């Protein structure tokens, strides 16, 4: 029973860490979008821009964006672990 409690506590800690990482990423995104849009920034504008860009682009362009995002994440994770 003690092993189960240890595992449950680890799961709880990992979920907490996951929430913290999501919050950090959200703050980075907010700061970057606010920097790009400047005084024009609003949540609605940001969501509208992303929605419009995604919905109105070809599948090929979307795939290219996804590929770049994946390679960026990989290099970012590598640099953070060093």
């Amino acid at each position: 029973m003690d092993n189960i409690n240890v595992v449950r506590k680890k799961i709880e800690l990992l979920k907490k860490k996951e929430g913290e990482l999501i919050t950090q990423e959200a703050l980075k995104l907010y700061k970057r979008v606010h920097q790009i849009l400047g005084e024009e920034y609003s949540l609605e504008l940001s969501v509208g821009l992303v929605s419009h860009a995604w919905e109105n682009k070809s599948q090929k362009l979307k795939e290219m964006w996804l590929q770049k995002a994946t390679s960026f994440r990989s290099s970012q994770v590598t640099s953070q672990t060093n």
Side-chain angles (χ1 to χ4, degrees):
M1 191 66 156
D2 191 42
N3 288 339
I4 293 172
N5 288 332
V6 169
V7 169
R8 285 182 179 152
K9 286 185 181 194
K10 286 182 181 180
I11 290 170
E12 187 178 312
L13 287 172
L14 288 171
K15 286 182 179 181
K16 182 180 177 185
K17 181 66 175 175
E18 179 185 33
E20 291 170 355
L21 290 172
I22 289 169
T23 300
Q24 286 176 358
E25 285 189 17
L27 285 171
K28 287 178 189 176
L29 176 63
Y30 163 77
K31 288 177 182 178
R32 183 67 179 124
V33 172
H34 195 279
Q35 181 183 29
I36 292 168
L37 298 177
E39 294 297 318
E40 300 296 321
Y41 172 82
S42 74
L43 178 61
E44 295 80 12
L45 176 60
S46 302
V47 171
L49 288 169
V50 171
S51 296
H52 178 76
W54 188 257
E55 292 167 0
N56 294 299
K57 295 305 171 202
S58 68
Q59 188 61 34
K60 184 176 179 180
L61 185 55
K62 289 178 185 180
E63 289 172 9
M64 190 173 73
W65 285 346
L66 290 170
Q67 185 180 19
K68 285 184 178 186
T70 303
S71 64
F72 174 74
R73 268 190 243 119
S74 297
S75 64
Q76 189 179 37
V77 169
T78 303
S79 66
Q80 287 177 354
T81 57
N82 290 335

